[in-house]
Amino acid sequence: MNKKITNTPIPFIRRQYMKQPDCEAFYYNDIRLNTVEQHYHSHYELYFFIEGKVHYIVDGNEFDLKTGDVLLIPPNKIHGPDIISTTEPYCRFVLWLDSSFFEKFENFNEDILFGMRFSESSGNYIYHLEYTLYNEIFGNLLDLWREYNEEHIFKNATMFNHILTILLKINRLIYEKHNSSVSVPKKELYTLIFEYINRNITSDLTLENIASNFFVSKYYVSHIFKDNLGISLHQYIIKRRLHACRGAIATGEPITTVSEKFGFTDYTSFYRAFKKEYGISPKAYQKEVLFNPKND
């Protein structure tokens, strides 16, 4: 499910220079925006893609954007979107930072500017935020946007804190991605998928739906699942559904009702899978458990 910032978006601004010192923030959610000319500017830009059908070009490199993508665009790099569909919402968050912002944190400049400098030197301008990090940074963006549009005491300090948090999370992602010696938790996404399946065992758990829910490719989901559990995602879902069916059958619930409830639309397939898994037919198992409950 794609998340959106609930505050009112602003009309699209075509200027490419900063009116405010240090930083400017923009939340756009456009429909029927036909073109945005490629451009460049003297400030840094962080671009967070939320939804839409858009290709984005940075310094001659074209990227097919998907939810959770972030672009780090250093100064004077020609960039701009190629909008594929003008009938679907084009939703994104854009953050502009000039050199004065970074000068306020001169003791930390190396850490704060790491991602931008790496992007400029390597030509890697796009990074994908996986499910957990995307949600974290989305929350930071939401807090930043609210602060940016309201007047509170310590507003600037609070905004800078949100921006620093976002920058450092992205910088850590980039550093870990390009330094093999860093130990990156590999089971995080796997664990989230595992829990999602268990919570939604009666739902439509196709590979495509699960991958879409976690903003990753279906091939990636298949790969990490088999690496961590030793069986395919499909095999695990079948085993979990059979386990759920076995528990429901043991209560005396009608077998056909149970099989349909847990995603087996074809009873013959369910019968064969159950017997293969437990060495007994569903009906025989139910009879055995109901008349001799200690055997379960």
Side-chain angles (χ1 to χ4, degrees):
M1 179 176 66
N2 291 348
K3 292 190 172 186
K4 297 180 183 179
I5 300 173
T6 54
N7 300 54
T8 304
I10 62 173
F12 179 61
I13 298 172
R14 291 187 180 271
R15 68 175 166 87
Q16 299 300 335
Y17 59 90
M18 293 182 67
K19 286 187 174 181
Q20 304 296 328
D22 299 330
C23 66
E24 289 190 51
F26 309 91
Y27 165 51
Y28 297 125
N29 191 9
D30 296 304
I31 298 179
R32 298 184 180 88
L33 179 63
N34 293 315
T35 59
V36 179
E37 292 185 359
Q38 291 192 42
H39 54 274
Y40 66 92
H41 37 63
S42 60
H43 50 266
Y44 297 88
E45 178 173 323
L46 273 75
Y47 171 105
F48 300 87
F49 182 70
I50 301 172
E51 71 169 329
K53 287 190 175 180
V54 178
H55 293 166
Y56 209 94
I57 301 167
V58 183
D59 199 27
N61 300 290
E62 185 171 341
F63 308 102
D64 183 11
L65 298 183
K66 56 183 180 295
T67 299
D69 282 346
V70 57
L71 292 165
L72 277 68
I73 306 172
N76 303 316
K77 295 292 182 182
I78 297 176
H79 60 279
D82 178 14
I83 303 168
I84 307 303
S85 172
T86 60
T87 60
E88 299 181 32
Y90 171 28
C91 188
R92 69 275 189 208
F93 190 99
V94 179
L95 184 62
W96 287 353
L97 302 171
D98 69 12
S99 57
S100 65
F101 173 87
F102 297 99
E103 289 168 2
K104 295 179 185 299
F105 307 96
E106 58 181 350
N107 293 333
F108 304 99
N109 264 356
E110 289 301 317
D111 291 341
I112 297 170
L113 276 167
F114 172 80
M116 282 294 184
R117 287 175 174 167
F118 183 87
S119 293
E120 187 166 23
S121 62
S122 66
N124 294 327
Y125 303 109
I126 187 168
Y127 296 90
H128 184 69
L129 307 177
E130 293 185 355
Y131 185 76
T132 302
L133 185 57
Y134 171 75
N135 280 313
E136 287 180 10
I137 291 182
F138 188 91
N140 298 139
L141 289 171
L142 178 57
D143 291 338
L144 171 61
W145 184 243
R146 287 171 176 164
E147 198 71 34
Y148 189 79
N149 288 284
E150 298 175 3
E151 294 297 328
H152 297 294
I153 190 170
F154 312 127
K155 172 178 177 174
N156 287 344
T158 304
M159 281 178 50
F160 283 6
N161 181 61
H162 291 317
I163 295 170
L164 285 175
T165 299
I166 292 167
L167 284 171
L168 291 173
K169 285 179 179 178
I170 293 172
N171 289 350
R172 177 175 290 175
L173 168 70
I174 295 171
Y175 181 83
E176 292 177 345
K177 180 179 177 65
H178 294 282
N179 288 268
S180 58
S181 61
V182 177
S183 176
V184 183
K186 294 183 179 179
K187 290 192 177 181
E188 184 175 15
L189 181 59
Y190 154 72
T191 302
L192 290 169
I193 296 173
F194 184 86
E195 293 172 351
Y196 175 83
I197 291 170
N198 291 341
R199 289 196 310 269
N200 297 277
I201 198 63
T202 60
S203 302
D204 184 19
L205 292 172
T206 65
L207 177 59
E208 289 78 8
N209 288 346
I210 293 171
S212 175
N213 185 76
F214 289 92
F215 312 123
V216 294
S217 76
K218 60 183 181 180
Y219 305 104
Y220 183 68
V221 172
S222 296
H223 178 71
I224 65 165
F225 210 90
K226 193 160 188 177
D227 281 355
N228 283 279
L229 202 61
I231 60 175
S232 70
L233 176 66
H234 175 71
Q235 288 172 315
Y236 175 74
I237 292 172
I238 293 297
K239 285 180 177 291
R240 286 298 303 155
R241 284 179 165 164
L242 289 172
H243 180 78
C245 287
R246 188 176 71 157
I249 288 170
T251 67
E253 194 172 344
I255 294 171
T256 53
T257 302
V258 169
S259 63
E260 291 174 359
K261 176 181 177 182
F262 291 103
F264 293 97
T265 56
D266 179 66
Y267 182 79
T268 301
S269 298
F270 164 69
Y271 177 93
R272 290 173 179 168
F274 191 97
K275 191 167 184 179
K276 180 180 179 181
E277 184 75 11
Y278 299 115
I280 189 173
S281 72
K283 186 174 182 179
Y285 174 75
Q286 186 177 64
K287 184 181 296 185
E288 180 180 294
V289 171
L290 293 178
F291 284 95
N292 194 9
K294 291 183 180 180
N295 287 344
D296 186 31

